[in-house]
Amino acid sequence: QVQLVESGGGLVQPGGSLRLSCAASGSIFSIDTMGWYRQAPGNQRELVASITFTSVGATHYADSVKGRFTISRDNAKNTVDLQMTNLKPEDTNIYYCNAAIQKTYVDFFNVYWGQGTQVTVSS
């Protein structure tokens, strides 16, 4: 089975920065996309940023984080990082790693989720 392990969450002051990391492990033949979502308690999950693991490496960012967050990948390590700068109180959320992974050559790409890591932006 595939497992996603997140790290890097914590408490930071407004204007500060954090770097979230997510490592995928287990039965992995190919990764199509990895990304980060966030979901506050009682709220709907929303996409923060994503990146493809193809040669194109296409990225997508939520409008609220454009220019502040940067997502990057390491294909060899099956990891994705989210560099968050100029953090705002409204960025406070639980952040979840997401991955679309093909376990074998004959499999479809299935979606996997991490357990979530807390990011708190407060003075």
Side-chain angles (χ1 to χ4, degrees), residues 29-111:
F29 176 79
S30 178
I31 298 177
D32 178 77
T33 307
M34 294 187 70
W36 289 91
Y37 288 71
R38 63 189 182 188
Q39 184 175 21
N43 289 9
Q44 187 176 4
R45 182 183 298 162
E46 62 177 358
L47 175 68
V48 178
S50 65
I51 186 169
T52 69
F53 275 60
T54 66
S55 59
V56 177
T59 59
H60 175 80
Y61 296 93
D63 290 340
S64 60
V65 306
K66 287 181 178 178
R68 300 188 298 118
F69 292 9
T70 301
I71 191 167
S72 61
R73 68 183 186 183
D74 189 327
N75 296 62
K77 297 181 179 180
N78 293 333
T79 60
V80 62
D81 288 357
L82 184 67
Q83 180 65 47
M84 305 183 294
T85 62
N86 193 24
L87 283 162
K88 303 176 180 180
E90 50 263 42
D91 294 320
T92 296
N93 250 308
I94 301 174
Y95 286 71
Y96 296 90
C97 181
N98 167 274
I101 294 175
Q102 184 182 24
K103 295 197 294 182
T104 70
Y105 177 77
V106 298
D107 286 338
F108 292 99
F109 286 98
N110 294 320
V111 176

